[in-house]
Amino acid sequence: MPQGRPARPPGRPAVPEFRLLGSVDACVGGRRLDLGPRKRRYVLAALLLDLNRPVPVERLIDAVWESDPPDSARMTVQGHVYRLRRVLPGARLETDSSGYVLWADPENVDALRFRRLVAAAAREDDEAGAELLEEALDLWRGTALGESGFGRSLEVAAVELEEVRLTAVAELARRRLRLGQPERAVAPLRAIVTAAPHQERLVSLLMTAFHHVGRQAEALELYERTRRLLADQLGVDPGRELRAAFESLLTAQA
């Protein structure tokens, strides 16, 4: 069964909720905290992605600057950490021998909770797993980390999160199709295909879902639109999976 989030015990002080699956921010009791400038949010993101583990200052510098950090980079990071300590009530942000460590419950970080739910779904049957995947995907509010201009380490982390998201959407669709619930596969697939139209595996799944709900014309139109997009922007033909989905549609119509 889906693993819901435990309620906060009565009387326990509110702690920050951290969000990385969209713009980097934090809130307490529904109130959004003022984290300050962009680079300070990058420092926080890097600490959250290595939650409860020491993060060397060098890695924080790599997270903040795309290239050629200034001579003052270390001092600037120290300043951002100092201000984060003041703005995050109830959070433990400690100095380590090589850098800093942020202590918090991973359930209070949407990106970590997302990964836990996706991993839990893999251990469940189709029905329970699909519910967990939907809970995980509902945590997303936009693209991972929400903006660009951060350093290499955060860029890699953002790409990895987006890849897990795409895989989760595909797995959710496969489970809904196996459960005979294609109508519940259409909406999440269409949303992600609109944002990532080159993702052929997701396009093929959306075509299949369209077919199973009697929307063959939309499935064929989607294939043709994707075929033109791949040709015009990437100079390639549809891959095997997408072609197979198209051929299955033609066979069903024959």
Side-chain angles (χ1 to χ4, degrees):
M1 294 296 295
Q3 302 176 11
R5 187 172 190 174
R8 180 166 52 89
R12 177 176 294 181
V15 295
E17 301 276 342
F18 299 103
R19 300 190 291 186
L20 301 176
L21 303 180
S23 58
V24 178
D25 61 24
C27 61
V28 173
R31 178 178 62 87
R32 188 175 180 181
L33 302 177
D34 182 5
L35 297 177
R38 184 178 62 179
K39 283 183 166 47
R40 190 172 304 154
R41 297 197 301 274
Y42 294 169
V43 170
L44 176 60
L47 291 166
L48 289 168
L49 289 168
D50 271 314
L51 191 70
N52 302 328
R53 292 180 294 187
V55 183
V57 172
E58 289 74 17
R59 191 182 306 168
L60 295 175
I61 291 173
D62 184 57
V64 171
W65 282 273
E66 293 182 88
S67 60
D68 300 324
D71 293 339
S72 60
R74 179 176 291 268
M75 185 177 298
T76 300
V77 166
Q78 291 171 347
H80 286 316
V81 170
Y82 171 78
R83 287 167 178 81
L84 285 172
R85 283 175 172 147
R86 295 173 64 88
V87 79
L88 297 175
R92 290 171 53 203
L93 178 46
E94 299 178 350
T95 301
D96 179 79
S97 58
S98 62
Y100 303 96
V101 55
L102 177 59
W103 299 96
D105 184 347
E107 287 294 290
N108 290 337
V109 183
D110 62 357
L112 303 183
R113 188 173 176 219
F114 167 72
R115 285 185 176 274
R116 179 188 67 77
L117 289 167
V118 171
R123 299 189 293 270
E124 299 288 349
D125 62 23
D126 279 345
E127 185 172 357
E131 295 296 328
L132 286 168
L133 289 168
E134 286 184 344
E135 183 181 351
L137 291 166
D138 282 346
L139 295 171
W140 285 78
R141 300 168 294 110
T143 57
L145 307 183
E147 50 192 306
S148 58
F150 36 69
R152 176 62 180 167
S153 63
L154 284 188
E155 181 181 350
V156 170
V159 169
E160 288 178 350
L161 283 168
E162 291 288 349
E163 283 296 322
V164 177
R165 181 189 191 183
L166 295 177
T167 299
V169 171
E171 179 60 18
L172 173 59
R174 294 188 186 100
R175 288 175 181 250
R176 289 301 181 201
L177 289 170
R178 288 196 296 265
L179 289 166
Q181 301 168 341
E183 70 284 352
R184 297 187 66 177
V186 169
L189 281 171
R190 184 160 54 183
I192 204 74
V193 164
T194 299
H198 297 99
Q199 292 290 329
E200 294 186 52
R201 60 174 170 161
L202 298 175
V203 172
S204 64
L205 284 167
L206 181 54
M207 288 171 59
T208 301
F210 275 150
H211 168 66
H212 283 294
V213 296
R215 295 161 64 175
Q216 284 81 1
E218 289 180 75
L220 293 171
E221 179 184 350
L222 175 61
Y223 175 81
E224 182 59 24
R225 186 165 65 247
T226 305
R227 184 194 65 77
R228 290 197 304 268
L229 183 72
L230 293 171
D232 294 344
Q233 296 190 7
L234 301 180
V236 299
D237 294 324
R240 181 174 59 185
E241 186 174 1
L242 188 53
R243 291 198 311 270
F246 175 64
E247 291 165 3
S248 294
L249 285 173
L250 296 180
T251 300
Q253 288 188 322

